[in-house]
PDB file of all heavy atoms in Angstrom:
ATOM      1  N   THR A 138       6.170   0.009   2.018  1.00  0.00           N
ATOM      2  CA  THR A 138       5.482  -1.147   1.446  1.00  0.00           C
ATOM      3  C   THR A 138       4.170  -1.366   2.188  1.00  0.00           C
ATOM      4  O   THR A 138       4.173  -1.525   3.416  1.00  0.00           O
ATOM      5  CB  THR A 138       6.337  -2.417   1.543  1.00  0.00           C
ATOM      6  OG1 THR A 138       7.591  -2.211   0.872  1.00  0.00           O
ATOM      7  CG2 THR A 138       5.612  -3.593   0.909  1.00  0.00           C
ATOM      8  N   ILE A 139       3.088  -1.384   1.439  1.00  0.00           N
ATOM      9  CA  ILE A 139       1.784  -1.675   2.033  1.00  0.00           C
ATOM     10  C   ILE A 139       1.451  -3.139   1.777  1.00  0.00           C
ATOM     11  O   ILE A 139       1.767  -3.679   0.713  1.00  0.00           O
ATOM     12  CB  ILE A 139       0.684  -0.745   1.455  1.00  0.00           C
ATOM     13  CG1 ILE A 139      -0.638  -0.933   2.210  1.00  0.00           C
ATOM     14  CG2 ILE A 139       0.505  -0.964  -0.040  1.00  0.00           C
ATOM     15  CD1 ILE A 139      -1.702   0.093   1.825  1.00  0.00           C
ATOM     16  N   SER A 140       0.848  -3.780   2.763  1.00  0.00           N
ATOM     17  CA  SER A 140       0.444  -5.171   2.614  1.00  0.00           C
ATOM     18  C   SER A 140      -0.846  -5.387   3.401  1.00  0.00           C
ATOM     19  O   SER A 140      -1.278  -4.513   4.141  1.00  0.00           O
ATOM     20  CB  SER A 140       1.545  -6.124   3.091  1.00  0.00           C
ATOM     21  OG  SER A 140       1.842  -5.908   4.460  1.00  0.00           O
ATOM     22  N   ARG A 141      -1.422  -6.573   3.215  1.00  0.00           N
ATOM     23  CA  ARG A 141      -2.670  -6.864   3.899  1.00  0.00           C
ATOM     24  C   ARG A 141      -2.758  -8.329   4.274  1.00  0.00           C
ATOM     25  O   ARG A 141      -2.189  -9.187   3.569  1.00  0.00           O
ATOM     26  CB  ARG A 141      -3.865  -6.461   3.025  1.00  0.00           C
ATOM     27  CG  ARG A 141      -3.951  -7.181   1.697  1.00  0.00           C
ATOM     28  CD  ARG A 141      -5.015  -6.541   0.791  1.00  0.00           C
ATOM     29  NE  ARG A 141      -6.361  -6.828   1.247  1.00  0.00           N
ATOM     30  CZ  ARG A 141      -7.439  -6.172   0.809  1.00  0.00           C
ATOM     31  NH1 ARG A 141      -7.309  -5.189  -0.065  1.00  0.00           N
ATOM     32  NH2 ARG A 141      -8.653  -6.499   1.251  1.00  0.00           N
ATOM     33  N   ASP A 142      -3.482  -8.602   5.336  1.00  0.00           N
ATOM     34  CA  ASP A 142      -3.774  -9.965   5.761  1.00  0.00           C
ATOM     35  C   ASP A 142      -5.274  -9.994   6.018  1.00  0.00           C
ATOM     36  O   ASP A 142      -5.737  -9.584   7.085  1.00  0.00           O
ATOM     37  CB  ASP A 142      -2.975 -10.320   7.017  1.00  0.00           C
ATOM     38  CG  ASP A 142      -3.170 -11.765   7.447  1.00  0.00           C
ATOM     39  OD1 ASP A 142      -4.195 -12.376   7.083  1.00  0.00           O
ATOM     40  OD2 ASP A 142      -2.302 -12.291   8.153  1.00  0.00           O
ATOM     41  N   ASP A 143      -6.019 -10.451   5.045  1.00  0.00           N
ATOM     42  CA  ASP A 143      -7.476 -10.402   5.167  1.00  0.00           C
ATOM     43  C   ASP A 143      -7.988 -11.327   6.266  1.00  0.00           C
ATOM     44  O   ASP A 143      -9.019 -11.040   6.890  1.00  0.00           O
ATOM     45  CB  ASP A 143      -8.124 -10.747   3.829  1.00  0.00           C
ATOM     46  CG  ASP A 143      -7.977  -9.611   2.832  1.00  0.00           C
ATOM     47  OD1 ASP A 143      -6.882  -9.447   2.246  1.00  0.00           O
ATOM     48  OD2 ASP A 143      -8.964  -8.878   2.656  1.00  0.00           O
ATOM     49  N   ALA A 144      -7.300 -12.424   6.513  1.00  0.00           N
ATOM     50  CA  ALA A 144      -7.723 -13.333   7.580  1.00  0.00           C
ATOM     51  C   ALA A 144      -7.677 -12.636   8.940  1.00  0.00           C
ATOM     52  O   ALA A 144      -8.467 -12.955   9.833  1.00  0.00           O
ATOM     53  CB  ALA A 144      -6.839 -14.569   7.600  1.00  0.00           C
ATOM     54  N   LYS A 145      -6.756 -11.682   9.069  1.00  0.00           N
ATOM     55  CA  LYS A 145      -6.627 -10.920  10.307  1.00  0.00           C
ATOM     56  C   LYS A 145      -7.274  -9.541  10.190  1.00  0.00           C
ATOM     57  O   LYS A 145      -7.157  -8.743  11.116  1.00  0.00           O
ATOM     58  CB  LYS A 145      -5.148 -10.760  10.679  1.00  0.00           C
ATOM     59  CG  LYS A 145      -4.443 -12.068  10.992  1.00  0.00           C
ATOM     60  CD  LYS A 145      -2.988 -11.834  11.391  1.00  0.00           C
ATOM     61  CE  LYS A 145      -2.307 -13.150  11.738  1.00  0.00           C
ATOM     62  NZ  LYS A 145      -0.883 -12.957  12.106  1.00  0.00           N
ATOM     63  N   THR A 146      -7.925  -9.272   9.087  1.00  0.00           N
ATOM     64  CA  THR A 146      -8.542  -7.963   8.781  1.00  0.00           C
ATOM     65  C   THR A 146      -7.584  -6.832   9.116  1.00  0.00           C
ATOM     66  O   THR A 146      -7.955  -5.823   9.735  1.00  0.00           O
ATOM     67  CB  THR A 146      -9.878  -7.778   9.533  1.00  0.00           C
ATOM     68  OG1 THR A 146      -9.657  -7.785  10.955  1.00  0.00           O
ATOM     69  CG2 THR A 146     -10.873  -8.841   9.160  1.00  0.00           C
ATOM     70  N   THR A 147      -6.345  -7.000   8.673  1.00  0.00           N
ATOM     71  CA  THR A 147      -5.275  -6.066   9.036  1.00  0.00           C
ATOM     72  C   THR A 147      -4.519  -5.570   7.816  1.00  0.00           C
ATOM     73  O   THR A 147      -4.252  -6.355   6.896  1.00  0.00           O
ATOM     74  CB  THR A 147      -4.299  -6.722  10.023  1.00  0.00           C
ATOM     75  OG1 THR A 147      -5.003  -7.052  11.233  1.00  0.00           O
ATOM     76  CG2 THR A 147      -3.142  -5.789  10.370  1.00  0.00           C
ATOM     77  N   SER A 148      -4.173  -4.305   7.864  1.00  0.00           N
ATOM     78  CA  SER A 148      -3.315  -3.685   6.862  1.00  0.00           C
ATOM     79  C   SER A 148      -2.014  -3.281   7.534  1.00  0.00           C
ATOM     80  O   SER A 148      -2.017  -2.895   8.711  1.00  0.00           O
ATOM     81  CB  SER A 148      -4.010  -2.444   6.298  1.00  0.00           C
ATOM     82  OG  SER A 148      -3.136  -1.689   5.490  1.00  0.00           O
ATOM     83  N   TYR A 149      -0.914  -3.365   6.795  1.00  0.00           N
ATOM     84  CA  TYR A 149       0.386  -2.992   7.322  1.00  0.00           C
ATOM     85  C   TYR A 149       1.032  -1.942   6.416  1.00  0.00           C
ATOM     86  O   TYR A 149       0.825  -1.941   5.204  1.00  0.00           O
ATOM     87  CB  TYR A 149       1.319  -4.208   7.394  1.00  0.00           C
ATOM     88  CG  TYR A 149       0.780  -5.348   8.210  1.00  0.00           C
ATOM     89  CD1 TYR A 149       0.159  -6.430   7.580  1.00  0.00           C
ATOM     90  CD2 TYR A 149       0.887  -5.366   9.595  1.00  0.00           C
ATOM     91  CE1 TYR A 149      -0.345  -7.483   8.316  1.00  0.00           C
ATOM     92  CE2 TYR A 149       0.384  -6.424  10.343  1.00  0.00           C
ATOM     93  CZ  TYR A 149      -0.231  -7.476   9.689  1.00  0.00           C
ATOM     94  OH  TYR A 149      -0.735  -8.530  10.430  1.00  0.00           O
ATOM     95  N   LEU A 150       1.835  -1.085   7.021  1.00  0.00           N
ATOM     96  CA  LEU A 150       2.651  -0.150   6.249  1.00  0.00           C
ATOM     97  C   LEU A 150       4.069  -0.230   6.800  1.00  0.00           C
ATOM     98  O   LEU A 150       4.348   0.252   7.903  1.00  0.00           O
ATOM     99  CB  LEU A 150       2.123   1.278   6.347  1.00  0.00           C
ATOM    100  CG  LEU A 150       2.840   2.281   5.444  1.00  0.00           C
ATOM    101  CD1 LEU A 150       2.560   1.971   3.971  1.00  0.00           C
ATOM    102  CD2 LEU A 150       2.425   3.722   5.761  1.00  0.00           C
ATOM    103  N   GLN A 151       4.941  -0.878   6.043  1.00  0.00           N
ATOM    104  CA  GLN A 151       6.352  -0.964   6.412  1.00  0.00           C
ATOM    105  C   GLN A 151       7.053   0.264   5.864  1.00  0.00           C
ATOM    106  O   GLN A 151       7.022   0.517   4.651  1.00  0.00           O
ATOM    107  CB  GLN A 151       6.976  -2.235   5.839  1.00  0.00           C
ATOM    108  CG  GLN A 151       8.464  -2.366   6.113  1.00  0.00           C
ATOM    109  CD  GLN A 151       8.785  -2.563   7.574  1.00  0.00           C
ATOM    110  OE1 GLN A 151       8.111  -3.337   8.260  1.00  0.00           O
ATOM    111  NE2 GLN A 151       9.797  -1.862   8.084  1.00  0.00           N
ATOM    112  N   MET A 152       7.663   1.026   6.743  1.00  0.00           N
ATOM    113  CA  MET A 152       8.303   2.276   6.341  1.00  0.00           C
ATOM    114  C   MET A 152       9.794   2.184   6.637  1.00  0.00           C
ATOM    115  O   MET A 152      10.195   2.053   7.801  1.00  0.00           O
ATOM    116  CB  MET A 152       7.680   3.450   7.106  1.00  0.00           C
ATOM    117  CG  MET A 152       6.172   3.541   6.960  1.00  0.00           C
ATOM    118  SD  MET A 152       5.462   5.006   7.727  1.00  0.00           S
ATOM    119  CE  MET A 152       5.806   4.687   9.450  1.00  0.00           C
ATOM    120  N   ASN A 153      10.605   2.227   5.585  1.00  0.00           N
ATOM    121  CA  ASN A 153      12.056   2.143   5.715  1.00  0.00           C
ATOM    122  C   ASN A 153      12.696   3.454   5.270  1.00  0.00           C
ATOM    123  O   ASN A 153      12.084   4.253   4.561  1.00  0.00           O
ATOM    124  CB  ASN A 153      12.597   0.992   4.879  1.00  0.00           C
ATOM    125  CG  ASN A 153      12.078  -0.352   5.319  1.00  0.00           C
ATOM    126  OD1 ASN A 153      11.794  -0.583   6.498  1.00  0.00           O
ATOM    127  ND2 ASN A 153      11.930  -1.260   4.369  1.00  0.00           N
ATOM    128  N   ASN A 154      13.940   3.643   5.674  1.00  0.00           N
ATOM    129  CA  ASN A 154      14.684   4.847   5.299  1.00  0.00           C
ATOM    130  C   ASN A 154      13.845   6.105   5.538  1.00  0.00           C
ATOM    131  O   ASN A 154      13.710   6.964   4.648  1.00  0.00           O
ATOM    132  CB  ASN A 154      15.128   4.770   3.835  1.00  0.00           C
ATOM    133  CG  ASN A 154      16.100   5.864   3.464  1.00  0.00           C
ATOM    134  OD1 ASN A 154      16.764   6.443   4.322  1.00  0.00           O
ATOM    135  ND2 ASN A 154      16.179   6.152   2.174  1.00  0.00           N
ATOM    136  N   LEU A 155      13.310   6.210   6.718  1.00  0.00           N
ATOM    137  CA  LEU A 155      12.433   7.325   7.043  1.00  0.00           C
ATOM    138  C   LEU A 155      13.169   8.655   7.016  1.00  0.00           C
ATOM    139  O   LEU A 155      14.354   8.728   7.361  1.00  0.00           O
ATOM    140  CB  LEU A 155      11.779   7.103   8.418  1.00  0.00           C
ATOM    141  CG  LEU A 155      10.611   6.106   8.395  1.00  0.00           C
ATOM    142  CD1 LEU A 155      10.346   5.556   9.785  1.00  0.00           C
ATOM    143  CD2 LEU A 155       9.377   6.760   7.810  1.00  0.00           C
ATOM    144  N   LYS A 156      12.452   9.681   6.618  1.00  0.00           N
ATOM    145  CA  LYS A 156      12.989  11.031   6.513  1.00  0.00           C
ATOM    146  C   LYS A 156      12.178  11.972   7.406  1.00  0.00           C
ATOM    147  O   LYS A 156      11.004  11.703   7.682  1.00  0.00           O
ATOM    148  CB  LYS A 156      12.911  11.509   5.067  1.00  0.00           C
ATOM    149  CG  LYS A 156      13.611  10.594   4.075  1.00  0.00           C
ATOM    150  CD  LYS A 156      13.412  11.081   2.648  1.00  0.00           C
ATOM    151  CE  LYS A 156      14.116  10.169   1.662  1.00  0.00           C
ATOM    152  NZ  LYS A 156      13.948  10.640   0.260  1.00  0.00           N
ATOM    153  N   PRO A 157      12.767  13.081   7.817  1.00  0.00           N
ATOM    154  CA  PRO A 157      12.012  14.032   8.661  1.00  0.00           C
ATOM    155  C   PRO A 157      10.696  14.473   8.022  1.00  0.00           C
ATOM    156  O   PRO A 157       9.709  14.692   8.733  1.00  0.00           O
ATOM    157  CB  PRO A 157      12.984  15.193   8.822  1.00  0.00           C
ATOM    158  CG  PRO A 157      14.334  14.553   8.729  1.00  0.00           C
ATOM    159  CD  PRO A 157      14.179  13.474   7.693  1.00  0.00           C
ATOM    160  N   GLU A 158      10.666  14.560   6.701  1.00  0.00           N
ATOM    161  CA  GLU A 158       9.440  14.971   6.029  1.00  0.00           C
ATOM    162  C   GLU A 158       8.342  13.908   6.051  1.00  0.00           C
ATOM    163  O   GLU A 158       7.222  14.164   5.623  1.00  0.00           O
ATOM    164  CB  GLU A 158       9.712  15.398   4.581  1.00  0.00           C
ATOM    165  CG  GLU A 158      10.495  14.386   3.775  1.00  0.00           C
ATOM    166  CD  GLU A 158      11.988  14.693   3.764  1.00  0.00           C
ATOM    167  OE1 GLU A 158      12.550  15.068   4.824  1.00  0.00           O
ATOM    168  OE2 GLU A 158      12.598  14.537   2.680  1.00  0.00           O
ATOM    169  N   ASP A 159       8.651  12.725   6.564  1.00  0.00           N
ATOM    170  CA  ASP A 159       7.631  11.690   6.749  1.00  0.00           C
ATOM    171  C   ASP A 159       6.870  11.881   8.060  1.00  0.00           C
ATOM    172  O   ASP A 159       5.899  11.161   8.321  1.00  0.00           O
ATOM    173  CB  ASP A 159       8.269  10.298   6.750  1.00  0.00           C
ATOM    174  CG  ASP A 159       8.865   9.919   5.413  1.00  0.00           C
ATOM    175  OD1 ASP A 159       8.225  10.200   4.379  1.00  0.00           O
ATOM    176  OD2 ASP A 159       9.969   9.338   5.399  1.00  0.00           O
ATOM    177  N   THR A 160       7.291  12.828   8.868  1.00  0.00           N
ATOM    178  CA  THR A 160       6.636  13.080  10.151  1.00  0.00           C
ATOM    179  C   THR A 160       5.184  13.495   9.960  1.00  0.00           C
ATOM    180  O   THR A 160       4.860  14.280   9.074  1.00  0.00           O
ATOM    181  CB  THR A 160       7.382  14.198  10.916  1.00  0.00           C
ATOM    182  OG1 THR A 160       8.674  13.712  11.277  1.00  0.00           O
ATOM    183  CG2 THR A 160       6.629  14.617  12.164  1.00  0.00           C
ATOM    184  N   GLY A 161       4.315  12.936  10.811  1.00  0.00           N
ATOM    185  CA  GLY A 161       2.911  13.284  10.751  1.00  0.00           C
ATOM    186  C   GLY A 161       2.061  12.249  11.454  1.00  0.00           C
ATOM    187  O   GLY A 161       2.583  11.267  11.998  1.00  0.00           O
ATOM    188  N   VAL A 162       0.768  12.473  11.429  1.00  0.00           N
ATOM    189  CA  VAL A 162      -0.181  11.485  11.948  1.00  0.00           C
ATOM    190  C   VAL A 162      -0.609  10.614  10.775  1.00  0.00           C
ATOM    191  O   VAL A 162      -1.047  11.128   9.736  1.00  0.00           O
ATOM    192  CB  VAL A 162      -1.406  12.150  12.594  1.00  0.00           C
ATOM    193  CG1 VAL A 162      -2.380  11.091  13.092  1.00  0.00           C
ATOM    194  CG2 VAL A 162      -0.972  13.064  13.736  1.00  0.00           C
ATOM    195  N   TYR A 163      -0.460   9.318  10.943  1.00  0.00           N
ATOM    196  CA  TYR A 163      -0.793   8.365   9.891  1.00  0.00           C
ATOM    197  C   TYR A 163      -2.156   7.736  10.194  1.00  0.00           C
ATOM    198  O   TYR A 163      -2.392   7.246  11.311  1.00  0.00           O
ATOM    199  CB  TYR A 163       0.280   7.294   9.784  1.00  0.00           C
ATOM    200  CG  TYR A 163       1.508   7.788   9.056  1.00  0.00           C
ATOM    201  CD1 TYR A 163       2.338   8.753   9.621  1.00  0.00           C
ATOM    202  CD2 TYR A 163       1.836   7.311   7.780  1.00  0.00           C
ATOM    203  CE1 TYR A 163       3.451   9.224   8.944  1.00  0.00           C
ATOM    204  CE2 TYR A 163       2.948   7.775   7.100  1.00  0.00           C
ATOM    205  CZ  TYR A 163       3.750   8.737   7.683  1.00  0.00           C
ATOM    206  OH  TYR A 163       4.849   9.208   7.002  1.00  0.00           O
ATOM    207  N   TYR A 164      -3.016   7.757   9.188  1.00  0.00           N
ATOM    208  CA  TYR A 164      -4.360   7.210   9.297  1.00  0.00           C
ATOM    209  C   TYR A 164      -4.541   6.065   8.310  1.00  0.00           C
ATOM    210  O   TYR A 164      -4.088   6.148   7.169  1.00  0.00           O
ATOM    211  CB  TYR A 164      -5.404   8.278   8.967  1.00  0.00           C
ATOM    212  CG  TYR A 164      -5.383   9.491   9.863  1.00  0.00           C
ATOM    213  CD1 TYR A 164      -4.578  10.586   9.555  1.00  0.00           C
ATOM    214  CD2 TYR A 164      -6.184   9.554  10.998  1.00  0.00           C
ATOM    215  CE1 TYR A 164      -4.569  11.714  10.364  1.00  0.00           C
ATOM    216  CE2 TYR A 164      -6.176  10.664  11.818  1.00  0.00           C
ATOM    217  CZ  TYR A 164      -5.367  11.738  11.493  1.00  0.00           C
ATOM    218  OH  TYR A 164      -5.357  12.849  12.291  1.00  0.00           O
ATOM    219  N   CYS A 165      -5.220   5.029   8.741  1.00  0.00           N
ATOM    220  CA  CYS A 165      -5.569   3.972   7.808  1.00  0.00           C
ATOM    221  C   CYS A 165      -7.046   4.115   7.452  1.00  0.00           C
ATOM    222  O   CYS A 165      -7.834   4.679   8.215  1.00  0.00           O
ATOM    223  CB  CYS A 165      -5.297   2.590   8.382  1.00  0.00           C
ATOM    224  SG  CYS A 165      -6.387   2.088   9.707  1.00  0.00           S
ATOM    225  N   SER A 166      -7.384   3.618   6.293  1.00  0.00           N
ATOM    226  CA  SER A 166      -8.777   3.563   5.881  1.00  0.00           C
ATOM    227  C   SER A 166      -9.036   2.240   5.185  1.00  0.00           C
ATOM    228  O   SER A 166      -8.119   1.648   4.594  1.00  0.00           O
ATOM    229  CB  SER A 166      -9.131   4.735   4.956  1.00  0.00           C
ATOM    230  OG  SER A 166      -8.610   4.532   3.667  1.00  0.00           O
ATOM    231  N   MET A 167     -10.246   1.782   5.288  1.00  0.00           N
ATOM    232  CA  MET A 167     -10.668   0.559   4.611  1.00  0.00           C
ATOM    233  C   MET A 167     -12.062   0.781   4.054  1.00  0.00           C
ATOM    234  O   MET A 167     -12.885   1.460   4.682  1.00  0.00           O
ATOM    235  CB  MET A 167     -10.692  -0.625   5.580  1.00  0.00           C
ATOM    236  CG  MET A 167      -9.343  -1.014   6.128  1.00  0.00           C
ATOM    237  SD  MET A 167      -9.447  -2.553   7.082  1.00  0.00           S
ATOM    238  CE  MET A 167      -7.799  -2.651   7.759  1.00  0.00           C
ATOM    239  N   TYR A 168     -12.294   0.188   2.875  1.00  0.00           N
ATOM    240  CA  TYR A 168     -13.637   0.262   2.303  1.00  0.00           C
ATOM    241  C   TYR A 168     -14.333  -1.065   2.595  1.00  0.00           C
ATOM    242  O   TYR A 168     -13.954  -2.114   2.050  1.00  0.00           O
ATOM    243  CB  TYR A 168     -13.583   0.525   0.802  1.00  0.00           C
ATOM    244  CG  TYR A 168     -14.949   0.810   0.247  1.00  0.00           C
ATOM    245  CD1 TYR A 168     -15.481   2.093   0.296  1.00  0.00           C
ATOM    246  CD2 TYR A 168     -15.738  -0.209  -0.278  1.00  0.00           C
ATOM    247  CE1 TYR A 168     -16.754   2.360  -0.176  1.00  0.00           C
ATOM    248  CE2 TYR A 168     -17.003   0.045  -0.755  1.00  0.00           C
ATOM    249  CZ  TYR A 168     -17.505   1.331  -0.704  1.00  0.00           C
ATOM    250  OH  TYR A 168     -18.776   1.591  -1.166  1.00  0.00           O
TER     251      TYR A 168
END
């Protein structure tokens, strides 16, 4: 689940039921 809090200029990514194939480096981007 992705969410945002603009007052905090922050983005969140809640990751549940993680699997081995989710392994990696996670990058955020903003426009």
